[in-house]
Amino acid sequence: MKKIALTALALSVAIAGNAAAQTCASPLEIGSNQTYTPGANQNPALQQDLCTATNSLPNYGGIASSQRDIVYSFVAQGANATVTIDHVGAAFGATVVLMPSPCASATDIIGAGDFANPMVVDGLTDGATYYIIATADPGGPVDACGTFGINVTGTLPVELQSFSVD
C-alpha cells in the first residue's frame, strides 16, 4: 500500500511540474480553431497561469524580457489564423509573440499581439515549425503574471487526413 501511495505521489508531482514546464524544449502543441472559455477552462492547454512558469526566454531576438513565458508550437500547413490572448481575472498585459525555428533567445519574432490587438498568422512556410510564446508585456513590471487564455481562429498546424496500416 505504501508503494502505491508513493507512486501516486510521484506521478502527481510529475504532472504538476509538467504544467509549468512549457518551454522551447517541451512546448504545448496548439491546433486550429481552438478556444477557451474564461472560468470554465474547457481547454486546459489554452488556459494557463504564467505565475507558475519561468522566464525561459530572456530575449526575443533584440527585445529583452524578464517576464515568465509559456511556449506553444505548431507545424504550418496553409497557416492563416488569428491568435488572441486574454487575461482571466486581474489584468497583467497578456502578450503573444510568434517565432520561427529555432525557438531560442537569439531568434527574432515575426509577429506579436496582446489582449487589445490580435496577432495575425499568415505567410508561413508549409512544413516549418513555429512557436507562439505567451508572456506578459516585456516592457511591463518585472514578473507580471496571471492567468490567460488563447483563442485560435483559422488554420495553424498540419492535420491528419487519413491513416492506414497494411
Side-chain angles (χ1 to χ4, degrees), residues 55-88:
N55 178 252
S56 67
L57 290 165
N59 296 297
Y60 305 118
I63 302 169
S65 177
S66 60
Q67 307 296 2
R68 304 163 195 242
D69 49 64
I70 294 179
V71 180
Y72 296 86
S73 70
F74 66 95
V75 176
Q77 186 65 43
N80 184 3
T82 300
V83 179
T84 56
I85 188 167
D86 214 350
H87 52 264
V88 179

Side-chain angles (χ1 to χ4, degrees), residues 45-163:
L46 297 180
Q47 185 171 329
Q48 296 285 321
D49 184 356
L50 279 171
C51 297
T52 64
T54 62
N55 178 252
S56 67
L57 290 165
N59 296 297
Y60 305 118
I63 302 169
S65 177
S66 60
Q67 307 296 2
R68 304 163 195 242
D69 49 64
I70 294 179
V71 180
Y72 296 86
S73 70
F74 66 95
V75 176
Q77 186 65 43
N80 184 3
T82 300
V83 179
T84 56
I85 188 167
D86 214 350
H87 52 264
V88 179
F92 64 93
T95 303
V96 287
V97 296
L98 179 65
M99 180 182 290
S101 288
C103 180
S105 288
T107 306
D108 288 327
I109 63 170
I110 56 174
D114 60 27
F115 58 93
N117 303 293
M119 178 174 63
V120 176
V121 177
D122 62 6
L124 305 181
T125 302
D126 288 350
T129 300
Y130 291 88
Y131 299 87
I132 294 175
I133 294 95
T135 187
D137 179 359
V142 175
D143 280 339
C145 65
T147 303
F148 69 90
I150 290 180
N151 282 321
V152 177
T153 307
T155 303
L156 284 179
V158 173
E159 294 183 24
L160 182 63
Q161 299 298 318
S162 65
F163 177 77

